[in-house]
Amino acid sequence: MSAKASVKFVRVPPRKARLVADMVRGKGTNEATAILRFTPNKSAKILGKLLKSAVANATVDGKADVDNLFIRELMVNEGPVLKRFKPRAHGRATRINKRTSHIHMVLAER
């Protein structure tokens, strides 16, 4: 039994979200929840909500046991980039890229 959850267009750069995703990939749901709760990153809060959603998707049928679930797949892909401009010296402007992420999570039973 596997359960999926995903969140798209999250205003977190994929590079920063992957750092947190690497910490919990392959861990059990209880251990991953504890790690995400005490990690002081914006992406940790988002991944915590996504994990909670994936667990709810797994248990909605009553077929999966929460204690046996683990994170089988956790992918952080790039979303669209919001391009903004900031004025600089001598009449120039530099581009600021505000990156977004698409995060996909798959839970499975041990």
Side-chain angles (χ1 to χ4, degrees):
M1 168 90 193
S2 66
K4 298 177 187 176
S6 65
V7 60
K8 293 184 171 187
F9 305 105
V10 181
R11 281 289 308 275
V12 174
R15 189 172 179 180
K16 292 182 181 181
R18 285 185 192 117
L19 291 173
V20 178
D22 290 341
M23 291 194 300
V24 295
R25 190 178 289 121
K27 302 266 197 299
T29 55
N30 295 332
E31 186 180 357
T33 304
I35 290 170
L36 291 172
R37 184 177 297 143
F38 296 109
T39 303
N41 290 355
K42 181 179 178 181
S43 55
K45 185 175 180 181
I46 293 165
L47 285 171
K49 287 182 180 181
L50 184 64
L51 178 61
K52 191 174 177 182
S53 174
V55 169
N57 290 341
T59 57
V60 72
D61 296 332
K63 297 178 181 176
D65 183 22
V66 179
D67 297 328
N68 293 332
L69 291 175
F70 76 102
I71 300 173
R72 186 174 73 190
E73 265 182 54
L74 183 55
M75 295 186 307
V76 180
N77 298 322
E78 291 183 18
V81 179
L82 303 174
K83 296 171 181 86
R84 301 294 182 256
F85 290 92
K86 184 175 184 177
R88 304 301 287 206
H90 300 287
R92 294 189 183 104
T94 56
R95 190 165 84 178
I96 298 191
N97 293 327
K98 296 180 180 262
R99 301 184 184 277
T100 60
S101 302
H102 298 324
I103 306 172
H104 305 282
M105 184 182 287
V106 177
L107 300 180
E109 283 191 289
R110 292 194 194 264

